[in-house]
């Protein structure tokens, strides 16, 4: 997988990542908008001073969300007891891309080990591509 194709896949999968959270959340979208904003600020994932509107959250199912929304959605998804997983190639790339942007990891192995067990095997090749993508962007 090339640098550009991985990045393009990851960007294409970000709306699917948000949709996965919306579809698996026990909260209505009005409450989920509050949860996303509050979680982003508390967990240090970025975000605006104000919570997103329910309409914005719903639109991010179809359109590229801000990175803080993707990071927060994945942060919440990996904590769900039902262990939802991505369904498409693009969504798996988005999960891997976002996972490496939630927190710094010393190595690919530590990033992989930090994932919940059910996500490790399906995300491993995508995490490898995401790690390679990030390493290429580092300046010496």
């Amino acid at each position: 997988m090339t640098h550009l194709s991985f990045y393009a896949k990851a960007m294409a999968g970000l709306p699917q990542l948000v949709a996965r959270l919306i579809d698996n959340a026990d909260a209505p979208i009005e409450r989920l908008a509050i949860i996303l904003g509050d979680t982003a600020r508390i967990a240090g994932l970025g975000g605006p001073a104000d919570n997103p509107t329910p309409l914005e959250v719903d639109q991010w199912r179809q359109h590229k969300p801000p990175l803080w929304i993707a990071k927060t959605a994945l942060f919440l998804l990996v904590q769900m007891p039902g262990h939802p997983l991505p369904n498409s190639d693009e969504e798996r790339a988005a999960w891997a891309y976002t996972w490496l942007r939630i927190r710094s990891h010393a190595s690919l192995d530590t990033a992989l080990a930090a994932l919940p067990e059910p996500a490790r095997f399906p995300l491993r090749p995508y995490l490898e591509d995401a790690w390679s993508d990030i390493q290429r962007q580092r300046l010496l």
Side-chain angles (χ1 to χ4, degrees), residues 8-24 57-65 69-70 73-74 77 84-95 98:
K9 281 183 186 182
M11 294 302 102
L14 290 178
Q16 296 171 39
L17 190 162
V18 174
R20 176 88 40 233
L21 176 67
I22 293 168
D23 294 344
N24 284 276
V57 174
D58 192 50
Q59 289 175 339
W60 289 323
R61 289 180 193 234
Q62 302 298 321
H63 305 287
K64 183 181 168 193
I69 283 290
L74 185 58
L77 280 164
L85 293 172
N87 287 333
S88 71
D89 196 39
E90 291 82 9
E91 190 181 358
R92 285 185 282 277
W95 280 48
T98 305

Side-chain angles (χ1 to χ4, degrees), residues 11-53:
M11 294 302 102
L14 290 178
Q16 296 171 39
L17 190 162
V18 174
R20 176 88 40 233
L21 176 67
I22 293 168
D23 294 344
N24 284 276
D26 287 334
I29 201 157
E30 294 79 14
R31 179 80 178 116
L32 190 56
I34 296 167
I35 291 168
L36 282 163
D38 289 349
T39 301
R41 286 186 294 277
I42 291 167
L45 301 171
D50 297 323
N51 292 334
T53 67

